[in-house]
Amino acid sequence: MNTEIRVRGRVQGVGFRPAVWRLARELSLSGEVLNDGEGVLIRVAGDAETIRRLLARLRDEAPPLARIEHIESRRLAAPLAPGFRIVESHPGDARTEIAADAGICADCAAEILDPYQRRYRYPFTTCTNCGPRFSIATGIPYDRAATTMADFPLCPECAHEYADPGDRRFHAEATACHACGPHARLVRCDGRAATFETFSMLDDCDAVCTILQRGHIIAIKGIGGYQLACDATDPDAVARLRAGKHRETKPFALMARDFDIIRAYALIDPLEAEALTSLAAPIVLLRRAGKPVADGVAPGLNTLGFMLPSTPLHVLALRRMTRPLVLTSGNLTDEPQITDDSEALAQLGGIAEFALTHNRPIATRLDDSVARMMDGAVRTLRRGRGHAPTPISLPEGFATAPDVLACGADLKNTFCLVKDGKAVLSHHIGDLDDVATLDDYRASLARYAALFDHAPTAVAADRHPEYRSAKLARQSGRKLVEVQHHHAHVAACLAENRRPLDAPRVLGIVLDGLGWGDDGTVWGGEFLLADYRESTRLGCLKPVAMPGGDAAAREPWRNLYAHLTAEMGWAELTMNFAELDLYRDLADRPRATLDAMIKSGTNAPRASSCGRLFDAVAAALGLCRERQGHEGEAASRLEALVCEATLRDEDDTLAYPFSIPNLPGSGLPYIEPLAMWRALLGDLILDTPAPVIAARFHKGLARILVGMAQKLAGDGRFDTVALSGGCFQNKALLEQVASRLRAAGFAVLTHNLVPPNDGGISLGQAAVAAARLMEG
Ligand SMILES: [Zn+2]
Ligand SMILES: [Zn+2]
């Protein structure tokens, strides 16, 4: 009996046809396999049992980069020739989904360390199961001619492997070897010759290790851009790297050769180990333990962001390195990572003495992805190399969604294309208030439109009047769908959890820094009753003035002052807490000016922001009181302080109290922190250890958030709560809130594939816009 099998998903350009070919031959099936516009088509002649085994093994033994979404089979009347063939596809037939870049596979890693292999120490070794994809793609369909490998014709030996269905390099578009591929080169940034005599090493990659051990900073051309590296245990090198990059306190990522080295500095849970060795090979935030790295690596934090070498070049460079190294993006402060060779030498030459460069161009700049294990799962906090541009299947009800472009938010920007019922979320672009990043954003929009052949009928954007992303959307001339910031957060969480389009509304608890609200005020701690189409604000955190506007986001003492004066007033503070150092600090500030600003609202907008509440509490404990070196620093230092024992203590009287009154006028219930402040300041008077205070705050906030959810649920208004917003990158907060919600009987939706922060917003904008457009 002849059967035709249709396989859909990411099955092109990932070694799927040869995998079918090998299985068919093992099972003695005759027939053919080919790529076409819908995926892979298999035609086989054989009995039902053998075909059933073929299908089962296809699922179990699919190549690592493949993702099967759907298999269906039907009877085929047409005859099949004996033997099993891979049928060449015709140009234009294939509609390839470009896969994300993948970390080096075990076979390639073994090959480059084996002196008897012809790719011994070859830093661009790759096969069908691993290596660069998206970062080198210049067009579609994905084949060598449409990559930055186009200028490296295959040598006879590589060409033979490429054409052999039995070889793991069959149609490996980026394959190469010493003879035919790109080469790495160690250069001095000042233009003088860097000779092997200087290092007496094996080769240019190997010399990197010696350079690092001698305390130098080196620029390394990675998959998605230039990186800067130095020995993470060398305080002087780390300090020079910080000064050179003009990066104050934002933590540096680390790379280590293997698990044993990471374990000397941090704890690794089995799930975290799995994430570290996954194809995406992200940076994973691990809890510090054991030996210290230099203080300048991650000041004030109890986590270290580690990754393992994910390219042959990094494997070779780190081969002899027995200490972790800092590996951070090659750029100045918040600018995009540099991808161009001459620009790298010009700009990074002031920081690095050496550069390990190569002649394979980078087509798409990609930052490293970042993940963290929270509430029992490893969650993506930044989506870059290894994840982008893997599409996210939209839930039931979105199959007929129109093509939409969602422009994202201005901080941690990503954008999102909707096509064929799937969402392609872009890689992390960055903060659009940086001019170079904004240029990169525009260029990336054009690249994705070309690579995905995307012509949207509508554009979705944030309501914020000043967002650059929203301005671009308004200028696009296409139908515009404005989506409120926090509604987009909730919708992103619903979409990635595959909540159907017509499912009942949920309560979204969205905690973040600042977003433009429906009422024209600034929101950031919101309780929204929402589905994809609509959202209604049911409650919020207390709106408190931000004296100084933008300055309040940088200088936490401003939020501390605003909270304390709004909630207890200066007189009570003077009467009860004058002995505290925070009181003396605030007394020295220009209080009359601040009070006038707060009273009149001039340059002091009110915001119901959870981020600013965290800033204020951190400032009360003396963390980043004067200013934060990067966004979210005060909150992450506060979280790092948390005493685990207090946090996990069953005794809920340890949780700081909050209350839920109603806002005058609107009658909207809100979370009032006055009682929390009295208890916290009282603890400061008693010299309660800061870690206990930090834990009591997290517990108290989580308890009242859940209390608000219960109050709003009434008799069954919703049974599901979606958690979103940048504050849920906080492990202590997320775990406390999620476990308390579950204990209260709610189903809880959290982020996993996309970041809870503004990096996930574009997915939500896209889902909201698609839902509204389908409604008509
Ligand atoms: Zn490989
Ligand atoms: Zn070759």
Side-chain angles (χ1 to χ4, degrees):
M1 187 179 70
N2 293 354
T3 306
E4 185 171 80
I5 301 160
R6 153 72 58 208
V7 189
R8 290 194 176 84
R10 187 173 60 220
V11 288
Q12 297 182 357
V14 292
F16 202 83
R17 288 176 305 160
V20 174
W21 180 84
R22 280 191 293 271
L23 285 175
R25 284 168 59 117
E26 274 182 55
L27 296 167
S28 306
L29 289 163
S30 52
E32 59 193 22
V33 59
L34 57 111
N35 283 339
D36 67 4
E38 290 178 63
V40 162
L41 198 61
I42 308 166
R43 298 192 180 106
V44 281
D47 59 83
E49 172 57 22
T50 316
I51 290 173
R52 196 195 56 73
R53 275 167 57 204
L54 172 73
L55 291 178
R57 288 188 61 186
L58 262 186
R59 287 195 184 275
D60 292 347
E61 300 169 36
L65 298 188
R67 199 172 63 168
I68 298 173
E69 281 168 10
H70 190 74
I71 298 187
E72 65 194 28
S73 42
R74 63 180 187 93
R75 289 191 61 172
L76 181 71
L80 290 166
F84 198 90
R85 297 177 315 284
I86 294 179
V87 180
E88 280 305 312
S89 43
H90 305 289
D93 277 359
R95 186 178 53 186
T96 47
E97 193 179 274
I98 299 175
D101 301 86
I104 186 170
C105 72
D107 290 336
C108 287
E111 203 174 340
I112 59 172
L113 298 176
D114 179 353
Y116 295 99
Q117 299 287 332
R118 69 185 189 92
R119 288 189 179 83
Y120 176 57
R121 300 199 62 84
Y122 182 57
F124 305 96
T125 300
T126 174
C127 72
T128 324
N129 302 329
C130 73
R133 289 282 195 290
F134 184 51
S135 65
I136 59 166
T138 55
I140 44 170
Y142 177 78
D143 61 25
R144 193 172 180 94
T147 68
T148 60
M149 292 295 286
D151 291 338
F152 298 95
L154 294 169
C155 69
E157 275 181 281
C158 285
H160 182 78
E161 295 165 348
Y162 183 88
D164 176 4
D167 193 285
R168 78 173 202 282
R169 296 200 166 88
F170 178 72
H171 279 253
E173 305 300 345
T175 189
C177 71
H178 284 290
C180 64
H183 284 104
R185 201 161 58 91
L186 179 67
V187 297
R188 287 186 62 108
C189 295
D190 60 11
R192 283 161 52 207
T195 59
F196 281 116
E197 289 76 46
T198 321
F199 300 105
S200 52
M201 293 303 139
L202 278 170
D203 55 31
D204 289 28
C205 287
D206 190 54
V208 168
C209 183
T210 307
I211 290 171
L212 291 168
Q213 286 166 344
R214 290 185 189 173
H216 295 291
I217 296 170
I218 180 166
I220 298 176
K221 187 176 180 182
I223 283 269
Y226 273 85
Q227 303 160 314
L228 289 163
C230 74
D231 181 345
T233 64
D234 180 339
D236 179 56
V238 174
R240 277 185 286 122
L241 183 52
R242 276 214 181 273
K245 270 183 65 121
H246 305 295
R247 176 150 150 166
E248 291 176 66
T249 50
K250 200 171 169 187
F252 282 141
L254 305 174
M255 183 180 271
R257 187 182 68 190
D258 53 36
F259 279 133
D260 286 344
I261 297 175
I262 298 180
R263 277 199 196 94
Y265 298 85
L267 301 174
I268 314 176
D269 171 278
L271 282 177
E272 291 167 337
E274 206 175 280
L276 282 164
T277 52
S278 67
L279 290 167
I283 297 166
V284 181
L285 303 186
L286 303 173
R287 191 167 180 99
R288 284 183 199 238
K291 290 198 262 185
V293 291
D295 287 346
V297 169
L301 301 183
N302 62 349
T303 53
L304 293 173
F306 266 106
M307 59 185 147
L308 289 167
S310 62
T311 78
L313 183 137
H314 290 94
V315 169
L316 296 171
L318 269 71
R319 187 73 187 134
R320 289 185 293 111
M321 190 74 189
T322 53
R323 299 191 288 271
L325 55 123
V326 167
L327 198 66
T328 181
S329 53
N331 56 5
L332 301 176
T333 49
D334 295 326
E335 290 182 3
Q337 192 176 14
I338 296 170
T339 53
D340 178 80
D341 299 328
S342 49
E343 197 190 335
L345 284 186
Q347 292 216 27
L348 304 180
I351 308 170
E353 292 96 321
F354 298 90
L356 182 68
T357 178
H358 61 72
N359 55 342
R360 184 178 71 197
I362 297 168
T364 296
R365 163 187 296 119
L366 289 168
D367 288 284
D368 293 319
S369 295
V370 180
R372 183 178 196 187
M373 189 166 100
M374 300 189 289
D375 193 32
V378 176
R379 295 152 194 283
T380 299
L381 301 184
R382 184 168 77 189
R383 213 168 173 275
R385 172 185 56 75
H387 288 303
T390 305
I392 295 167
S393 296
L394 287 171
E396 187 190 318
F398 284 91
T400 58
D403 287 8
V404 174
L405 167 69
C407 293
D410 269 20
L411 286 181
K412 300 186 165 63
N413 176 274
T414 63
F415 54 88
C416 182
L417 322 179
V418 171
K419 196 180 171 181
D420 304 326
K422 287 180 186 171
V424 175
L425 188 64
S426 80
H427 58 282
H428 168 84
I429 303 284
D431 296 350
L432 303 186
D433 52 3
D434 175 74
V435 180
T437 308
L438 187 60
D439 285 345
D440 184 48
Y441 174 61
R442 287 202 188 90
S444 301
L445 284 169
R447 274 181 54 69
Y448 274 72
L451 282 177
F452 293 92
D453 192 19
H454 190 250
T457 54
V459 179
D462 198 279
R463 283 224 172 118
H464 199 297
E466 297 303 324
Y467 264 10
R468 288 163 179 86
S469 53
K471 285 181 179 170
L472 276 181
R474 286 181 210 116
Q475 290 157 7
S476 72
R478 297 187 198 271
K479 186 177 171 60
L480 178 71
V481 183
E482 289 193 336
V483 184
Q484 196 275 326
H485 190 92
H486 303 94
H487 182 203
H489 269 301
V490 181
C493 189
L494 297 178
E496 76 151 287
N497 284 285
R498 304 186 59 79
R499 179 111 176 151
L501 177 60
D502 290 316
R505 294 196 281 178
V506 303
L507 180 74
I509 303 183
V510 187
L511 307 178
D512 69 353
L514 305 169
W516 194 258
D518 273 335
D519 57 0
T521 69
V522 186
W523 293 7
E526 308 307 317
F527 295 82
L528 304 175
L529 186 64
D531 57 17
Y532 293 103
R533 297 179 184 95
E534 285 176 83
S535 83
T536 310
R537 192 190 204 196
L538 298 185
C540 62
L541 262 58
K542 178 177 180 166
V544 175
M546 297 189 297
D550 287 345
R554 290 190 298 270
E555 300 174 11
W557 66 267
R558 292 175 183 270
N559 301 298
L560 177 61
Y561 184 80
H563 262 283
L564 292 178
T565 50
E567 278 129 36
M568 61 181 62
W570 192 255
E572 181 181 337
L573 200 61
T574 307
M575 188 172 4
N576 296 329
F577 304 110
E579 66 189 88
L580 292 178
D581 94 293
L582 73 86
Y583 175 83
R584 291 191 297 275
D585 182 336
L586 294 178
D588 287 344
R589 308 277 177 180
R591 292 203 302 111
T593 316
L594 290 162
D595 291 341
M597 282 162 89
I598 293 170
K599 194 168 174 215
S600 67
T602 312
N603 199 22
R606 281 172 189 278
S608 50
S609 165
C610 187
R612 298 295 84 82
L613 174 65
F614 267 89
D615 289 356
V617 171
L621 297 186
L623 301 169
C624 308
R625 187 181 290 160
E626 205 54 43
R627 61 188 302 275
Q628 332 198 39
H630 64 271
E631 195 235 336
E633 183 186 5
S636 24
R637 290 181 105 142
L638 183 63
E639 185 204 343
L641 264 192
V642 166
C643 163
E644 287 287 322
T646 311
L647 189 74
R648 309 214 175 283
D649 196 316
E650 296 285 306
D651 182 1
D652 240 10
T653 59
L654 290 171
Y656 282 148
F658 290 78
S659 59
I660 305 182
N662 292 50
L663 282 177
S666 68
L668 201 68
Y670 71 94
I671 292 178
E672 165 61 62
L674 171 62
M676 179 278 293
W677 282 115
R678 286 199 176 118
L680 187 152
L681 297 185
D683 266 349
L684 285 176
I685 295 274
L686 295 171
D687 280 331
T688 305
V692 173
I693 295 180
R696 297 187 67 185
F697 168 70
H698 279 80
K699 264 175 105 107
L701 182 61
R703 185 173 68 169
I704 199 67
L705 289 166
V706 175
M708 177 73 106
Q710 286 173 307
K711 179 186 161 93
L712 296 175
D715 26 86
R717 200 143 45 139
F718 51 84
D719 58 13
T720 302
V721 180
L723 305 179
S724 189
C727 296
F728 285 113
Q729 298 171 96
N730 178 321
K731 180 178 158 84
L733 184 69
L734 177 69
E735 293 180 351
Q736 279 283 311
V737 173
S739 63
R740 286 168 185 266
L741 281 170
R742 287 187 201 109
F746 294 106
V748 182
L749 303 178
T750 54
H751 284 284
N752 217 315
L753 301 173
V754 309
N757 59 46
D758 283 6
I761 267 196
S762 60
L763 174 64
Q765 291 174 341
V768 170
R772 288 186 185 155
L773 291 166
M774 280 189 286
E775 213 171 32

